[in-house]
């Protein structure tokens, strides 16, 4: 059985490289290309770059898969990893080292390819350091090298579930820099291309890497295989959907004209991937219908040694074939990324290359409402948060438990406010107008969070999630409890920390060069909006959150915190209104907006929006706080009353008992003794 696992891994590597070479020759990525004015870096780079990229992608995917196996798929006992899981961590350390080496080689070959210099000249040359230091793609690849090397080191000694989970998070983060800085930013729809590719990579890694880890586990140790396979299958379905959605988003952002799918090399490679993706879906279906039920039936806790009930041949065979197909798809994908997409926007103007779409017409209320610009990241965020919440409420309902409709409404309206400022005309105008950007900032940091925290998502999760099937193991519910009691959350959730992050970061972003830097890249703009939403949610969770907080503040202190904090937002608005020069001047002036007020006047408008907007949340928070305070008081009064009753009830009993005794004395004949019974 073990040989089966090793053979599957080796054949998968060959299938991947083979598919990459075939796709590279078909699509042109591996054919010699003479670009006027650019010297050719040579054969070594032409082949070395896609090969090293394949090693980097496969290394990253596998590291995520093996860490997922150790930290999530295999059951643990009270936070201590299963011995097999520890062995997988050690394995992940080696795979991460391969990942780091693949990323380092990709870095060298990329510089060689861009400069048209042989790779040998690049190693040790100044070109490499300047590429890493000045070019986002270079910095991104360097990040991957460093993070993968860090995982390789730490996975050598990690033994706890917490550390395995931490390494998994680092690995998922390390997947992001290349897609977020890759050539997607040169495609017709930058934002969609960048968010789409990042989502693509993050969704496919646990799915592809997790399956290979599962096949390895089934052919090596196999304990708890049923549990691990069940968990994997639930996750794999969502990954499959996410890979498909992001894959289509990738295509739409690069091939706006569908005919390019069959008229260009790039398009044809995409069709190959689509076909492979559909076949992979069929494999998934067969697993769900056949191999997994059989596995669960025969190996509820996996086959324990030595009494092996039944080796999972059916599962290993089907999953083994599936892994080969996935490796081949990975190979085609790497060749696709090395194939130049058809040039469709030759007349792209400076503004389009800056904001990803042409300068919008003069702003009007109607255009704010109608010029929608869907953002993949926020669309997925809203759908996931909405879907999970609805599933939680449905589960409580199904159990006959009530859930206050006010909370569901608050959550729903909160999500709608996110859609309103990240996908409507506000998103279209926010890159070109500071004032519209300020509306986005204010809603995401001061309105959406208030509504979301009143939705009590953590309380819902704790009530809806089932405890882990195996005693002492950590399922989603247990993980949530661990995170809620973690030292990190105690620190971040401390009212002082939350307030400093909420207020301080606003000043840090706008009154330093950071704002200008973040506006220049879609990823920077996205990070800014996510930060506003997260820091606002943290602050209002502490202030009016229904969910349990690490440190519960008395209401007077909360009031005080509100009145101390809100003036800072007013100051921020007033400061903006009084600034004599524009923030991020480089960005706004180079847009040459042909309509509307001047950049500085627009900034002053933004300042007045910030100043005025502060009142709304203060008002909502005050009402919420007073209502919570009143409800708490009521609850306390009822509790005290119950206690008083209970105490009163007890005295009554004693009183009744004593009276009964006195009554019994009355009934006895005169000769019996007169002293009362002893306790
Ligand atoms: C609906 C099916 C899919 C479609 C339409 C699709 C489409 C795409 C597109 C357009 C890209 C961007 C290439 C570029 O940078 O120009 C991409 C990247 C990628 N895809 Fe897919 N894909 C699909 C499924 C998959 C599957 C199933 C896998 C793996 C098992 C996969 C692996 C990858 C990888 C690794 C990349 C990044 C390549 C790189 O940057 O080196 N894709 N995909």
């Amino acid at each position: 059985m073990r040989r089966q696992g090793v053979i599957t891994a080796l054949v998968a590597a060959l299938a991947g490289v083979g598919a990459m070479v075939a796709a590279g020759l078909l699509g042109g990525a591996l054919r010699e290309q003479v670009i006027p004015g650019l010297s050719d870096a040579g054969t070594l780079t032409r082949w070395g770059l896609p090969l090293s990229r394949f090693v980097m992608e496969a290394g990253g995917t596998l590291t995520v898969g093996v860490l997922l196996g150790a930290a999530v798929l295999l059951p643990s006992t009270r936070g201590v990893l299963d011995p097999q899981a520890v062995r997988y961590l050690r394995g992940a350390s080696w795979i991460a080292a391969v990942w780091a080496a693949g990323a380092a080689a990709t870095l060298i070959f990329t510089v060689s390819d861009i400069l048209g210099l042989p790779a040998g000249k690049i190693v040790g040359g100044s070109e490499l350091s300047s590429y890493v230091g000045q070019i986002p793609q270079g910095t991104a690849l360097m990040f991957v090298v460093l993070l993968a090397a860090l995982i390789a080191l730490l996975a050598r000694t990690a033994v706890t579930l917490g550390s395995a989970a931490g390494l998994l998070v680092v690995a998922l983060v390390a997947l992001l820099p290349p897609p977020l800085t890759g050539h997607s930013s040169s495609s017709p729809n930058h934002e969609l291309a960048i968010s789409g590719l990042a989502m693509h990579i993050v969704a496919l890694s646990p799915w592809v890497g997790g399956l290979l880890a599962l096949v390895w586990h089934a052919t090596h140790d196999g304990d708890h295989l049923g549990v691990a396979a069940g968990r994997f299958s639930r996750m794999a379905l969502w990954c499959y959907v996410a890979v498909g959605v992001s894959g289509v988003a990738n295509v739409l952002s690069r091939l706006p004209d569908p005919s390019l799918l069959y008229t260009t090399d790039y398009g044809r490679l995409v069709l190959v991937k689509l076909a492979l993706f559909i076949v992979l879906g069929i494999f998934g279906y067969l697993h769900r219908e056949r191999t997994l039920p059989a596995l669960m039936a025969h190996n509820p806790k996996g086959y324990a040694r030595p009494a092996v009930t039944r080796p999972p041949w059916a599962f290993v065979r089907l999953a083994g074939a599936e892994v080969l197909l996935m490796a081949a798809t990975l190979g085609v994908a790497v060749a696709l990324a090395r194939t130049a997409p058809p040039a469709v926007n030759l007349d792209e103007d400076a503004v389009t290359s800056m904001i990803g779409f042409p300068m919008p017409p003069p702003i009007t209320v109607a255009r704010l409402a109608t010029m929608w610009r869907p953002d993949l990241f926020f669309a997925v965020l809203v759908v996931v948060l909405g879907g999970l919440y609805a599933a939680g409420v449905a589960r409580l309902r199904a159990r006959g438990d009530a859930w206050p409709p006010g909370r569901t409404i608050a959550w729903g309206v909160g999500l709608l406010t996110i859609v309103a400022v990240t996908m409507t005309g506000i998103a279209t105008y926010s890159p070109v107008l500071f004032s519209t950007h300020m509306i986005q900032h204010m809603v995401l940091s001061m309105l959406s969070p208030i509504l979301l925290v009143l939705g009590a998502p953590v309380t819902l999760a704790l009530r809806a999630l089932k405890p882990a099937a195996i005693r002492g193991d950590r399922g989603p519910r247990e993980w949530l409890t661990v995170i809620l009691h973690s030292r990190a959350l105690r620190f971040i959730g401390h009212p002082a920390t939350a307030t400093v992050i909420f207020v301080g970061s606003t000043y840090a972003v706008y009154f330093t060069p950071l704002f200008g830097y973040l506006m220049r890249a879609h990823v920077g703009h996205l990070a800014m909006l996510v930060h506003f939403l997260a820091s606002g949610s943290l602050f209002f969770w502490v202030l009016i959150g229904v969910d349990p907080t690490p440190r519960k503040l008395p209401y007077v202190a909360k009031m005080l915190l509100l009145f101390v904090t809100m003036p800072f937002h007013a100051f921020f608005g007033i400061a903006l209104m009084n600034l004599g020069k524009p923030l991020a001047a480089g960005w706004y002036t180079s847009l040459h907006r042909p309509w509307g007020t001047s950049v500085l006047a627009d900034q002053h408008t933004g300042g007045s929006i910030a100043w005025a907007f502060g009142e709304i949340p203060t008002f909502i928070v005050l009402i919420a706080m007073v209502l919570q305070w009143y409800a708490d008081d009521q609850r306390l009064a009822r509790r005290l009353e119950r206690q008083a009753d209970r105490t009163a009830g007890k005295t009554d009993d004693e009183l009744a008992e004593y009276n009964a005794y006195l009554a019994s004395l009355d009934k006895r004949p005169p000769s019996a003794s007169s002293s009362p019974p002893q306790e």
Side-chain angles (χ1 to χ4, degrees):
M1 186 67 125
R2 283 171 177 255
R3 236 154 46 85
Q4 180 76 22
V6 177
I7 293 170
T8 307
L10 287 176
V11 177
L14 286 176
V17 174
M20 188 199 69
V21 171
L25 291 172
L26 276 175
L30 288 173
R31 289 200 299 260
E32 189 171 351
Q33 295 168 9
V34 182
I35 303 168
L38 251 191
S39 57
D40 179 28
T43 317
L44 176 64
T45 298
R46 195 163 51 247
W47 285 78
L49 183 47
L51 265 175
S52 59
R53 205 176 172 96
F54 180 79
V55 173
M56 177 179 86
E57 306 273 9
T61 302
L62 274 184
T63 306
V64 166
V66 176
L67 289 173
L68 182 85
V72 179
L73 301 183
L74 282 179
S76 60
T77 316
R78 272 173 270 292
V80 178
L81 285 175
D82 193 278
Q84 291 150 352
V86 175
R87 268 209 301 285
Y88 289 148
L89 271 184
R90 305 295 173 262
S93 155
W94 289 111
I95 302 170
V98 173
W99 183 15
T106 305
L107 180 57
I108 294 166
F109 284 124
T110 305
V111 179
S112 148
D113 183 54
I114 290 175
L115 300 178
L117 291 172
K121 281 226 174 108
I122 302 293
V123 181
S126 63
E127 297 86 358
L128 199 58
S129 50
S130 56
Y131 182 74
V132 168
Q134 288 150 26
I135 315 287
Q137 287 91 332
T139 321
L141 284 170
M142 202 54 201
F143 256 115
V144 178
V145 175
L146 295 175
L147 289 175
L150 181 72
I151 295 168
L153 277 177
L154 296 178
R156 295 232 56 75
T157 50
V159 284
T160 65
L161 183 58
S163 55
L167 287 172
L168 176 60
V169 172
V170 175
L172 287 168
V173 170
L175 291 172
L176 285 172
L180 291 178
T181 54
H183 64 177
S184 313
S185 46
S186 60
S187 67
N189 183 337
H190 307 176
E191 299 153 8
L192 191 60
I194 291 173
S195 310
L197 193 57
M199 181 175 149
H200 204 55
I201 303 287
V202 169
L204 74 90
S205 300
W207 172 40
V208 175
L211 186 67
L212 191 65
L214 210 55
V215 170
W216 187 271
H217 186 66
T219 53
H220 282 61
D221 308 77
D223 268 3
H224 305 296
L225 183 62
V227 176
R231 286 182 179 168
F232 174 79
S233 159
R234 284 192 291 280
M235 179 206 73
L237 177 64
W238 293 108
C239 289
Y240 184 77
V241 173
V243 169
V245 170
S246 57
V248 172
N250 287 336
V251 176
L252 290 176
S253 64
R254 291 166 178 80
L255 303 179
D257 170 2
S259 70
L260 295 169
L261 271 174
Y262 48 86
T263 56
T264 62
D265 290 335
Y266 188 92
R268 283 188 284 269
L269 283 180
V270 167
L271 288 179
V272 170
K273 282 191 74 182
L274 205 55
L276 290 167
F277 178 75
I278 293 166
V279 177
L280 285 169
I282 297 169
F283 271 82
Y285 172 76
L286 291 175
H287 273 305
R288 278 174 170 254
E289 289 303 307
R290 300 215 191 123
T291 60
L292 286 175
L295 203 61
M296 308 283 201
H298 296 290
N299 306 281
K301 291 202 179 318
Y303 53 84
R305 284 192 224 107
V308 176
T309 52
R310 186 158 167 197
W313 277 118
F315 170 75
V316 170
R317 264 199 304 273
L318 190 65
E322 191 180 357
V323 165
L324 298 191
L325 216 59
M326 283 172 164
T329 317
L330 215 68
V332 175
V334 172
L336 178 70
R338 289 288 304 147
T339 309
V344 280
N345 50 340
L346 295 172
D347 55 350
E348 181 176 85
D349 61 19
V351 174
T352 307
S353 65
M354 283 175 71
I355 62 175
F357 51 93
M359 173 63 73
I363 190 169
T364 61
V365 176
R367 287 186 179 129
L368 280 178
T370 54
M371 288 186 72
W372 280 60
R373 233 201 122 67
D375 179 284
L376 185 67
F377 175 83
F378 281 107
V380 170
L381 183 75
V382 166
V383 168
V384 169
L385 291 181
L388 287 174
Y389 198 95
V393 174
R395 185 175 279 181
L396 289 195
R397 286 265 164 82
R399 254 190 354 223
D401 291 351
W403 180 253
R407 292 181 184 172
T408 310
I409 294 167
W411 186 259
V413 177
L415 294 180
L416 284 179
T417 58
I418 296 177
V419 171
V421 292
T422 58
M423 292 184 229
T424 63
I426 291 177
T428 306
Y429 284 92
S430 84
V432 297
L433 279 174
F434 183 81
S435 52
T436 323
H437 166 84
M438 197 39 71
I439 296 175
Q440 248 186 349
H441 174 170
M442 287 299 128
V443 169
L444 286 177
S445 71
M446 303 247 266
L447 185 60
S448 314
I450 292 175
L451 295 161
L452 293 177
V453 297
L454 290 176
V458 176
T459 309
L460 176 65
L462 288 173
R463 286 183 54 192
L465 288 169
K466 293 189 187 118
I470 299 179
R471 209 176 153 70
D473 185 21
R474 225 180 255 180
R477 190 174 192 285
E478 288 75 18
W479 271 114
L480 187 56
T481 318
V482 165
I483 292 167
L484 281 176
H485 293 94
S486 67
R487 247 178 287 144
L489 200 68
R490 274 185 80 78
F491 171 70
I492 292 176
H494 188 285
T497 327
T499 309
V500 169
I501 293 174
F502 181 58
V503 176
S505 60
T506 302
Y507 285 79
V509 166
Y510 289 101
F511 298 119
T512 66
L514 190 58
F515 179 55
Y517 183 75
L518 293 173
M519 284 303 280
R520 264 187 281 153
H522 169 59
V523 186
H525 195 241
L526 197 61
M528 211 175 359
L529 299 185
V530 171
H531 169 77
F532 294 148
L533 186 62
S535 60
S537 303
L538 181 69
F539 178 70
F540 289 110
W541 172 48
V542 167
L543 218 54
I544 52 163
V546 180
D547 293 322
T549 49
R551 215 177 290 265
K552 193 161 176 56
L553 273 183
Y555 283 101
V556 182
K558 286 184 179 185
M559 285 274 185
L560 208 63
L561 188 60
L562 179 69
F563 290 130
V564 166
T565 313
M566 281 309 151
F568 281 97
H569 268 281
F571 296 152
F572 168 65
I574 294 164
L576 285 177
M577 285 196 272
N578 292 305
L579 268 182
K581 58 181 181 54
L583 299 173
W587 171 260
Y588 287 110
T589 44
S590 44
L591 283 169
H592 303 296
R593 179 168 38 79
W595 44 265
T597 57
S598 72
V599 172
L600 193 58
D602 174 55
Q603 178 177 295
H604 293 163
T605 313
S608 51
I609 290 171
W611 178 67
F613 199 94
E615 312 310 320
I616 304 168
T618 311
F619 181 66
I620 302 174
V621 169
L622 265 180
I623 293 181
M625 220 184 263
V626 169
L627 289 176
Q628 286 175 350
W629 198 341
Y630 176 73
D632 257 13
D633 266 6
Q634 292 301 309
R635 257 194 301 276
L636 184 66
R638 276 197 300 276
R639 203 170 46 241
L640 292 176
E641 227 169 76
R642 270 199 305 276
Q643 261 168 10
D645 292 350
R646 257 202 307 279
T647 330
K650 196 155 168 281
T651 354
D652 286 353
D653 292 352
E654 282 160 2
L655 206 61
E657 204 183 305
Y658 187 65
N659 287 341
Y661 163 69
L662 289 180
S664 70
L665 283 182
D666 204 24
K667 286 197 199 75
R668 271 190 316 170
S671 60
S673 70
S674 60
S675 58
Q678 301 302 319
E679 286 290 336

